[in-house]
Amino acid sequence: MSHWKFKQRSVLPGFGLALGYTLLYLSLIVLIPLSALFFKTATMTWGRIWDTVSDPRVVASYRLTFGASLAAAATNAAFGFVVAWTLVRHHFPGKRLVDAVVDLPFALPTAVSGIALTALYAENGWIGRWLEPLGIQAAFSPLGVAIALTFIGLPFVVRTLQPALEDLDVEVEEAAASLGASRFETFRRIILPTVFPALLTGFALAFARALGEYGSVVFIAGNMPMKTEITPLLIIVKLEQYDYAGATAIAVVTLIASFAILLAINLIQWWSGYRYRIGG
Amino acid sequence: MAAGATLQQHTPWNASREGHGIRAEIPWIKWTFVSVTLGYLGLFLAVPLAAVFTEALRKGIGAYLESFQDPAALAAIRLTLLVAAIAVPANLVFGLAAAWAIAKFNFLGKNLLTTLIDLPFAVSPVISGLIYVLLFGQQGWLGPWLSSHDVNVIFAVPGIVLATIFVTFPFVARELIPLMQEQGNEEEEAALVLGAGAWQTFWRVTLPNVKWALLYGVILCNARAMGEFGAVSVVSGHIRGKTNTMPLHVEILYNEYNFVAAFAVASLLAILAMVTLVAKTFVEWKSRQSVELLEPTTAEEV
Amino acid sequence: MSLRRLLSSVALAAMTFGFLLPSLATAKDIELLNVSYDPTRELYKEFNAAFSQYWQARTGDTVTIQQSHGGAGKQARAVIDGLEADVVTLALAYDIDAIAEKADLLPADWQKRLPDNSAPYTSTIVFLVRKGNPKGVKDWNDLARPGISVITPNPKTSGGARWNYLAAWGYVLKKELGDLARVHDPKAAAEVAKANAKARQFVTALFKNVPVLDSGARGSTTTFVQRGIGDVFISWENEAYLAIKELGPGKFEIITPSISILAEPPVAVVDKVVDKHGTRSVAEAYLRFLYTKQGQELVAKHYYRPRHPEVAKRYRGQFVDVALFTIDDVFGGWKKAQQTHFADGGLFDQIYQPK
């Protein structure tokens, strides 16, 4: 039972060096600095920590942050699927360009994205003026938060799905069709199960990134207490009062939640890959 | 994320795939997909981008170009390029080491390690900056010692570099791991059996196999490194002409009601991103070409 | 470029350096870092140039002043965490108090070291309304009327917004008590309590009219001016003038209320930093220069109210006379005001607490 050992045997060299360097760099850049959050939080008593992270206003911000992030990630999952599918399976003029701009939200500074989106979705903006007569307030509402989060998370789903879709075996689809499966059935029983892990990864990364986003959201949110305050804003509010420990306490809560989500996703991915390898 | 987008090199883009086989494409389905794609990306990407350029060019091309004459703007551009030039190679080396360990070996806690590498994506930018303040700040663990030795970390270039490395930490590793996992160990094992040394195997076998994924990761990492605002804002100190990066300079100009210059600098970031995106397209095109060239020899592996 | 021209320009450059070097040996190059808050950008840009000139004429040394601007709280935090500011010029005494208290970089009684509470210029809170004042806003009580939309930044994240809030509060106390001196009169305690309750109601009603709470003052300006949201924008006087000048001459009007708060943005030398850099004398001269006639002229030019009587007289036309009260008069200082009103769970937070 070799897998009970720390490491399975391999003829490849360099495991010690590679893992050692990885752990060293990870510790120096990520783990030790992040541990400062926990130590700072630990300067408060448990009661104070609990009061800070369970304050109604903070809880309202969790609801908005997690809700809007979920909505944004779900939107990106649905539309990202269509975009990825189109980019892989269809040809149309200007496709290269479309494929290239998908990564734009990574490069634009978040504040610029926020300002540009607010200008567009405010009542007098290019898009907002069409929504306003319909009674839809886009900027300065939870919807605005979701719009900003959709923007910044857009590349994740598309870019994780693209390779998976390219990897799909067209012959299996054709076999299914020749056996009389409808398009929908083929999609549900052949395509979806195969690309599901990739879709999930994209969803999770978009979701995780949305949870932490601050720069683009503060411009469009309106920042009304209990209504459109996101959790990172409340971290800033704590810092403004020189309450570093309070700020880190809230940060630790979101950090743990994000970590749990990412770990779950990675386990699902590993599990599906494992199943695939056994099956294959 | 772009994780395994480079898997393309294994399953080369098959231009003739469309309409191939028994099931011909039904036009209305195709055009529905295409129009949803264009509509969605148009609404969320093209329109904001157009808004940035409209604002930047509001007073004409002359005013636009003048925005880059300001010494503070030039200093910001220089600093941003410097920071990216340090952060990207650092994450590149790390990405290679991490991918080698994770993709080529099976060991306990591999999932945990992968998740820890992903973690910086989920940390709020404000916190990404704050952790370095807690560590190196005057009230932090190392601050008093550093200042007594006259070493500035935060509110200086090292702090900005550290924060940038943190926020772009996962990109290269995330890009390489799935691809290297997919490729397996056979080629390296064969090279070793044939008597190649460890470094030789890495340089001659592994690196060529992943070079496009590596470039792809570098490009994304670079785009994000130049565009990062929140984390850098916390550790920069905002000294005009000294510790302002391009995104911070944009904020300053915007707050000075100098909208044209603010959006001009922002558009330069967008252009830099587009340049990297064009480079990426070129890279992909090259990779497709090289795959086509290699196709006959590697066909049995696929 | 031809080779000859290249060579000649190289020679020219070499000569220039040759001439410059000896003079550099005698004159010192000094750098100062002024960490300030957002609305003073334009003022210090001009003031720094004037001071450099003045200092060079007096001592022959060249001073370069580096500027850092941002939200006042964020800037104070940066100084506490090690940003080496020679001087701080912030929005509230509270922020500099925090630097003294948390990092011990300057003595607790820093405010007594310069005249006028270490505040060389003042400002007050006024209203910016759209051209023609369509909603007929005249005084504070109009802001709490139903159907009026008010723009102000978030007092939790913006120092300027705290002034807005306290000015509104003070207005009610003045209306209820007649004389603000009675706030501290033990005999009037019951009345003061009643007035405070009224003020709380008023401020609550006012903030119910606020549709967007931007995180900083300049964000609010953008919301009001660029996005076209709100009927009234509560603003620093200097910011209101600047917004009109920069963003919409002829599109807005300034309304000065019957009573407002005296905002005293303080300045201070950061002792531990100047001693480390050896810049104490120039840093002190820099701040004292703010009080000179030339400095005060620049202050007034950028719409801050000058202290210098002569300069104040000359700019009388620019600043409407308005009854002004101070934080110390009415709220017993910043520390107390912060604790009661803006701390977590304080009176401001209670406005938004679900009943």
Side-chain angles (χ1 to χ4, degrees), chain B residues 133 136-139 147 150 152 154-155 233-234 236-242 251-252 254-257 259, chain C residues 31 33 38 41 66-69 74 78 80-83 102-103 218 221-222 226-227 239 242 246-247 276:
Chain B
V133 173
F136 298 112
Q138 202 56 53
Q139 317 299 317
S147 92
D150 249 339
N152 286 324
I154 53 166
F155 309 120
S233 163
V234 177
S236 133
H238 299 269
I239 307 168
R240 196 175 186 134
K242 244 185 167 176
E251 190 208 18
I252 288 193
Y254 189 78
N255 277 340
E256 281 174 358
Y257 303 125
F259 298 132
Chain C
E31 266 190 23
L33 175 60
D38 258 324
R41 291 164 195 280
Q66 310 276 358
Q67 279 298 137
S68 166
H69 294 276
K74 188 179 177 184
I80 291 170
D81 286 321
L83 180 61
K102 310 221 178 247
R218 293 259 158 122
T221 316
T222 312
Q226 305 282 102
R227 315 270 169 265
E239 283 286 273
L242 186 72
E246 293 281 328
L247 299 171
K276 185 177 163 191

Side-chain angles (χ1 to χ4, degrees), chain A residues 56-130:
Chain A
R57 206 159 139 196
V58 178
V59 172
S61 85
Y62 297 145
R63 219 175 290 133
L64 174 70
T65 305
F66 280 84
S69 299
L70 198 66
T75 311
N76 273 329
F79 285 93
F81 189 94
V82 175
V83 171
W85 181 269
T86 310
L87 289 176
V88 171
R89 289 292 176 96
H90 297 297
H91 285 269
F92 56 92
K95 175 170 144 170
R96 277 291 162 68
L97 185 73
V98 172
D99 195 22
V101 293
V102 166
D103 296 314
L104 187 74
F106 281 157
L108 222 49
T110 49
V112 173
S113 317
I115 292 165
L117 289 171
T118 313
L120 292 173
Y121 286 92
E123 278 168 36
N124 61 2
W126 290 350
I127 298 175
R129 75 180 62 172
W130 301 105

Side-chain angles (χ1 to χ4, degrees), chain B residues 53-69 260-261 264 267 271:
Chain B
F53 277 92
T54 311
E55 285 292 334
L57 293 167
R58 187 168 291 268
K59 291 191 183 145
I61 190 90
Y64 177 80
L65 292 176
E66 209 172 291
S67 316
F68 303 114
Q69 308 286 316
V260 167
S267 75
I271 291 171

Side-chain angles (χ1 to χ4, degrees), chain C residues 324-338:
Chain C
L324 294 171
F325 58 87
T326 69
I327 300 276
D328 295 345
D329 289 349
V330 178
F331 300 95
W334 263 110
K335 207 166 184 172
K336 219 172 138 211
Q338 175 74 23

Side-chain angles (χ1 to χ4, degrees), chain C residues 1-2 87 107 120 144 168 186 212 240 244 248 255 293 302 312 316 335 348:
Chain C
M1 193 186 278
S2 75
V87 296
V212 176
I244 291 184
I255 304 289
K293 217 168 128 190
H302 290 278
R316 187 169 282 165
K335 207 166 184 172
F348 176 75

Side-chain angles (χ1 to χ4, degrees), chain A residues 25 29-30, chain B residues 83 86-91 94 120 132 158-171 221 225 232:
Chain A
Y25 189 78
I29 300 284
V30 178
Chain B
V83 168
I86 302 172
V88 174
N91 280 340
F94 161 72
Y132 292 107
I160 299 175
V161 171
L162 275 175
T164 307
I165 291 180
F166 184 91
V167 292
T168 57
F169 190 83
F171 276 106
C221 179
V232 170

